Amino acid sequence: MSSISPIPKKILIFGATGVIGKYITQALIDNKSKFEKIGIFTSQSTVDNKKEEIERLKSEGLDVIVGDIRNEGDVVKAYEGYDTVVSALSRSTITFQTQLLGLAERSSTITSFYPSEYGTDITYSPITSPHEKPHQDKLHVRAYIKSSISKLRITYLVTGPYSDVYMGLPLGEGGKAGGFNVKEKKAVLLGSGDDEVSFTTMADVGKLLVASLNTPFVASGDSSPNVRLLKVNSFTTTPHRILAEFEKQTGGEKWSTQYTPLDELKNFEKLAWEKGDPRATGVTLRRIWTEGGTLYEQRDNVKIGDPETEGLEEQVGKLVRK
């Protein structure tokens, strides 16, 4: 296989109406003139429960394919006429990707696949990453790709944490896992407050994905000739800088501020997992960010044309207005 391939033109999206999928889908719609065809694969329950959203997507010219992701026949049929699969499956359905990948590998039309890798880098540390609980399903998918995929061109688009989520309301009991309450002008900062974190806005996830689709595939960041690893983000900042921007955009008044030191965050994380707290995954990810797990020697935005991304000021402004 050549290391440089044609630009994908016919895109099929899985998880198109989900948390991050809707941003990816909208970015594709905004750039639909660059593609010959865009479709989504969705379930009957989604069609029934999100009628207005589905009708809006149809009105934008998207093909809506209704089927069961667990049914091989439905997926094989859906692949016909497309050359690229973009997966935006949620954390709870990540492992379904092994079947999607296997069928894509045997497809006569699919040549490129974007697994649902958006978010924290699951290989940020060769020592600790393999043991992080939130990473296990994504690591399972990567292992499957390494052992079973040879034809498909795989792009891992690693974006780091979503600033929209982190800069929202404080997470966890007493907000110990950090966050910002605009209405009450209260913040809980993690670590020292000066620990840098690289964020990506959810809208930029879609924008960066479109940019990568429109950039010729060149293998990178992996020993496999058919894998491209892109570590991208919108901006790098600290909890203190975020707080200062919130204060600036809410009248200049100082906010009530608390801190959760790293050791305390680790203890809170341990208890969350022991209790089966559904927020445990979020706490673990925030601990990884605070430890510097989203910082790279250089980001890969330039490899995909360095598209314009949102900055801290713009992101905070959106959250204040919301």
Side-chain angles (χ1 to χ4, degrees):
M1 177 185 296
S2 171
S3 61
I4 301 179
S5 63
I7 301 295
K9 290 296 182 182
K10 301 173 183 178
I11 317 300
L12 180 63
I13 315 164
F14 286 80
T17 63
V19 174
I20 196 61
K22 62 185 179 182
Y23 290 94
I24 289 172
T25 302
Q26 187 58 50
L28 284 163
I29 290 171
D30 292 342
N31 292 273
K32 60 186 177 183
S33 63
K34 298 176 181 178
F35 304 99
E36 294 178 11
K37 184 179 181 182
I38 302 172
I40 72 168
F41 183 99
T42 192
S43 66
Q44 185 61 53
S45 62
T46 296
V47 172
D48 293 339
N49 295 325
K50 298 182 178 181
K51 292 180 180 179
E52 290 186 7
E53 177 65 7
I54 296 300
E55 288 304 314
R56 185 185 74 82
L57 295 179
K58 288 181 179 179
S59 72
E60 293 284 2
L62 272 64
D63 292 335
V64 176
I65 303 169
V66 181
D68 185 344
I69 197 174
R70 296 164 294 186
N71 185 307
E72 289 192 9
D74 287 353
V75 175
V76 169
K77 186 176 180 180
Y79 282 169
E80 295 175 2
Y82 291 93
D83 58 39
T84 298
V85 173
V86 171
S87 173
L89 293 181
S90 65
R91 188 174 292 277
S92 63
T93 55
I94 286 292
T95 55
F96 283 125
Q97 291 181 118
T98 56
Q99 175 174 296
L100 296 181
L101 282 155
L103 296 174
E105 177 78 357
R106 298 191 293 274
S107 167
S108 61
T109 61
I110 302 297
T111 59
S112 301
F113 200 109
Y114 282 66
S116 188
E117 276 274 341
Y118 329 105
T120 302
D121 181 10
I122 61 171
T123 58
Y124 74 94
S125 165
I127 298 174
T128 56
S129 291
H131 309 290
E132 298 288 9
K133 292 181 180 179
H135 293 170
Q136 296 310 303
D137 286 347
K138 288 185 179 181
L139 288 169
H140 172 73
V141 173
R142 281 210 190 187
Y144 176 83
I145 289 170
K146 189 171 185 178
S147 66
S148 305
I149 301 300
S150 59
K151 184 194 78 171
L152 292 173
R153 289 180 282 271
I154 305 294
T155 297
Y156 297 123
L157 190 71
V158 179
T159 67
Y162 308 145
S163 53
D164 314 52
V165 176
Y166 174 74
M167 296 181 194
L169 291 173
L171 175 71
E173 183 181 345
K176 286 184 180 179
F180 301 83
N181 187 324
V182 175
K183 287 186 177 180
E184 298 183 10
K185 295 185 177 181
K186 293 181 179 179
V188 179
L189 308 187
L190 300 179
S192 67
D194 292 320
D195 306 296
E196 288 195 322
V197 183
S198 291
F199 290 105
T200 305
T201 71
M202 296 174 91
D204 279 348
V205 172
K207 184 184 295 184
L208 291 160
L209 184 135
V210 168
S212 68
L213 284 169
N214 285 291
T215 301
F217 181 100
V218 178
S220 65
D222 191 278
S223 58
S224 303
N226 64 327
V227 171
R228 174 173 61 169
L229 175 64
L230 298 171
K231 295 181 178 180
V232 295
N233 56 61
S234 297
F235 56 86
T236 299
T237 189
T238 67
H240 277 149
R241 290 181 214 149
I242 296 171
L243 175 61
E245 189 60 38
F246 269 114
E247 290 176 339
K248 176 183 175 182
Q249 295 197 34
T250 55
E253 178 184 346
K254 290 294 182 182
W255 283 26
S256 172
T257 306
Q258 296 179 320
Y259 291 81
T260 301
L262 184 56
D263 286 346
E264 188 176 332
L265 183 63
K266 289 180 179 179
N267 290 333
F268 182 57
E269 174 191 6
K270 181 174 180 292
L271 289 173
W273 283 107
E274 289 175 351
K275 294 178 180 178
D277 190 329
R279 298 168 294 188
T281 291
V283 178
T284 294
L285 295 177
R286 293 179 184 219
R287 183 261 300 162
I288 292 171
W289 311 341
T290 305
E291 290 178 326
T294 68
L295 301 174
Y296 319 121
E297 290 184 8
Q298 64 180 33
R299 67 180 189 174
D300 292 327
N301 295 42
V302 68
K303 292 182 180 179
I304 53 174
D306 205 13
E308 183 179 353
T309 55
E310 296 182 70
L312 173 60
E313 181 178 355
E314 187 174 358
Q315 176 72 119
V316 169
K318 282 186 175 181
L319 294 169
V320 169
R321 289 190 297 274
K322 181 179 179 180

